[in-house]
Amino acid sequence: MVYKDFVKPLLDFTLAFFMILILLPIYLIVSFLIYIKLGSPIVFAQKRPGKNEKIFTIYKFRSMSDEKDKDGKLLSDEKRLGRFGKLLRKSSLDELPQLFNVLKFEMSFIGPRPLLVEYLKCYNDEQKKRHSVKPGISGLAQVNGRNAISWEEKFKLDVEYVENISFLLDIKILWLTFLKVIKRSDISSSTNVTMEKFCE
């Protein structure tokens, strides 16, 4: 498919390059605030599966503290995600470093979100289709509920995207993503500050 294999990667690279240049002051300001509020490291890095389940390192701005209990164990996500971290997530500013993943051709602007490596063993054959394309900063599942929908609904939307990928669909998702960020909606599930784990 011409769009998926050639046009989309070129558009991703070009848009990511110019967005990084334009947003450089925002990167600097957010980095400074994170250093003041949370300390170092400023960027959170984690291994995630990409296209064809190839493992890569995803980058995000750090949003949680390193607070521990009396036994030296990290506190729950909910307790480590303070007001500042919630603001970063609600504004989606924590996602900005992923533009460098796009620049490295590891991610796309639009595609199924890259999940934890440990989930690879849990997918059924249908759900594995989500890895036939590059993961995205946003995707069909993100504009249809994000963390507020179930895993089954999310994977169904991921596969629907993979099977219907097109320029017009990507433009639609980009626009809906912009609206979601403005409204700051569907950031968390109904039970926690982040989505509950798919499997252990």
Side-chain angles (χ1 to χ4, degrees):
M1 185 176 177
V2 175
Y3 173 69
K4 182 176 72 174
D5 296 331
F6 299 102
V7 178
K8 184 177 171 73
L10 179 61
L11 289 176
D12 282 336
F13 180 88
T14 303
L15 185 56
F17 178 79
F18 284 106
M19 283 189 68
I20 289 171
L21 292 180
I22 293 169
L23 296 173
L24 184 58
I26 303 298
Y27 279 97
L28 295 175
I29 292 170
V30 173
S31 296
F32 175 75
L33 291 175
I34 291 173
Y35 183 76
I36 295 299
K37 297 282 188 179
L38 302 174
S40 60
I42 293 170
V43 174
F44 170 78
Q46 189 177 55
K47 298 295 183 181
R48 298 285 177 93
K51 184 177 180 181
N52 299 322
E53 301 184 359
K54 181 179 179 181
I55 306 301
F56 72 100
T57 301
I58 193 174
Y59 306 112
K60 291 186 178 185
F61 276 128
R62 180 182 175 196
S63 59
M64 291 193 290
S65 70
D66 288 328
E67 292 179 85
K68 299 177 181 178
D69 61 21
K70 59 182 180 180
D71 297 319
K73 296 181 179 179
L74 284 174
L75 296 177
S76 65
D77 289 356
E78 187 173 4
K79 293 181 178 179
R80 292 190 294 126
L81 185 67
R83 291 177 60 187
F84 177 68
K86 289 178 181 178
L87 176 61
L88 286 179
R89 292 193 180 187
K90 286 184 178 181
S91 63
S92 293
L93 287 172
D94 64 316
E95 309 280 3
L96 284 181
Q98 288 168 55
L99 289 176
F100 289 94
N101 289 117
V102 176
L103 206 62
K104 294 167 64 179
F105 295 103
E106 296 169 333
M107 291 182 65
S108 175
F109 276 94
I110 303 300
R113 284 294 296 166
L115 302 175
L116 299 177
V117 174
E118 64 193 72
Y119 293 173
L120 287 175
K121 66 181 183 295
C122 304
Y123 299 129
N124 59 38
D125 290 340
E126 183 72 6
Q127 293 166 346
K128 285 181 179 180
K129 291 180 180 179
R130 70 191 310 279
H131 292 293
S132 62
V133 299
K134 282 190 290 188
I137 295 177
S138 184
L140 194 58
Q142 281 61 52
V143 298
N144 283 281
R146 200 170 176 177
N147 286 343
I149 60 176
S150 68
W151 282 112
E152 289 71 22
E153 293 173 295
K154 188 176 296 187
F155 293 143
K156 183 178 179 180
L157 289 166
D158 287 342
V159 174
E160 180 181 335
Y161 173 78
V162 169
E163 294 178 342
N164 296 279
I165 186 171
S166 70
F167 175 73
L168 289 179
L169 180 57
D170 279 359
I171 293 298
K172 178 182 178 181
I173 294 172
L174 276 173
W175 173 245
L176 291 174
T177 298
F178 174 74
L179 294 180
K180 287 281 185 181
V181 172
I182 294 300
K183 295 178 181 179
R184 299 181 180 181
S185 60
D186 301 330
I187 303 299
S188 302
S189 68
S190 59
T191 58
N192 207 341
V193 295
T194 55
M195 189 70 179
E196 294 181 353
K197 283 195 171 186
F198 170 49
C199 67
E200 297 295 338

